[in-house]
Amino acid sequence: MRAAGEATRERILAAAVGEFAEYGFAGARINRIAAQARASKDRLYAYFESKDDLYAAVTARWVAETVGEAALSAADLPGYAGRLFDSFLTHPRNLQLQMWIELESPDVLHRPGHYRDAWENKLTEIRRGQAEGVIDPSWHASDLLLILTDVPRTLASAVLLAEKRAGENLAALRASRRAAAVEAARRLTTNAAALSQTRR
């Protein structure tokens, strides 16, 4: 793809991220995306065959950014929580996209695609940690992953909301909320390790 064509595709993707993050899949409009990207609808459809195709590309990029910045390691769940918190603040639209998926398509984990693949890879890592005694096997892997996702996301959302208000010490708030996310994951890990020891 030539440079001009790649630039157009990138503008379309960037506009689509904003549109889907703001309105979800159902509320997003192709004409608004095309206008924001300074491209015709025909031009948009030359790169993406349908709204579904465009949404899949947006989801793939969001998942790649999150996985790249917040890889999950069974040996370092606190680190994962901290990195995920950072990623949500760096890419707030990704946070919104995830919330929309859960609202509009709660069955998305059962569909083939980047989101399900990333989720399954994380579950595999958690189960590996459970098998190796790093993580308490009494946890259901899906429940634990939900907690490890929702705590950083909720805390990051609170920071993003606070940024819209005047008079907040945002640096201190970011630091304290990040520390809370890390500590929550640490306590889960520490308690699990202690519980495993008592069971031996």
Side-chain angles (χ1 to χ4, degrees):
M1 188 182 296
R2 287 193 253 173
E6 182 62 28
T8 301
R9 185 179 187 278
E10 285 300 310
R11 288 201 310 274
I12 292 169
L13 267 177
V17 168
E19 181 75 8
F20 287 125
E22 183 69 22
Y23 300 103
F25 179 82
R29 296 291 177 263
I30 290 295
N31 61 335
R32 286 199 298 253
I33 295 172
Q36 181 65 28
R38 306 189 308 279
S40 67
K41 289 177 67 173
D42 288 342
R43 187 69 169 160
L44 184 151
Y45 284 124
Y47 294 101
F48 304 98
E49 294 181 358
S50 64
K51 185 179 179 182
D52 285 314
D53 188 35
L54 179 55
Y55 189 62
V58 167
T59 302
R61 175 166 292 191
W62 149 48
V63 169
E65 285 176 346
T66 304
V67 170
E69 295 176 1
L72 186 150
S73 168
D76 186 21
L77 297 184
Y80 169 73
R83 291 188 298 273
L84 189 57
F85 176 88
D86 294 339
S87 183
F88 282 139
L89 289 188
T90 302
H91 308 287
R93 286 176 171 173
N94 289 348
L95 186 155
Q96 292 174 274
L97 286 168
Q98 183 169 346
M99 294 177 70
W100 272 116
I101 278 185
E102 292 172 1
L103 285 170
E104 293 184 312
S105 308
D107 61 333
V108 72
L109 290 179
H110 303 292
R111 304 177 191 168
H114 299 280
Y115 191 92
R116 188 182 76 173
D117 290 346
W119 184 266
E120 290 297 333
N121 289 339
K122 291 177 182 180
L123 288 179
T124 297
E125 178 64 9
I126 288 174
R127 291 178 183 129
R128 183 186 67 79
Q130 290 176 317
E132 294 177 359
V134 177
I135 300 171
D136 179 10
S138 68
W139 279 109
H140 191 290
S142 293
D143 292 343
L144 182 55
L145 184 52
L146 282 171
I147 294 170
L148 292 171
T149 300
D150 285 348
V151 169
R153 183 175 66 181
T154 299
L155 292 169
S157 295
V159 172
L160 291 170
L161 286 173
E163 288 180 344
K164 298 179 180 180
R165 302 193 297 267
E168 294 277 357
N169 185 341
L170 294 179
L173 183 63
R174 282 176 177 247
S176 66
R177 292 289 163 83
R178 188 186 195 280
V182 171
E183 179 65 8
R186 186 193 69 78
R187 291 190 184 190
L188 285 172
T189 305
T190 300
N191 291 343
L195 183 57
S196 296
Q197 290 293 329
T198 61
R199 289 177 174 174
R200 292 176 184 174

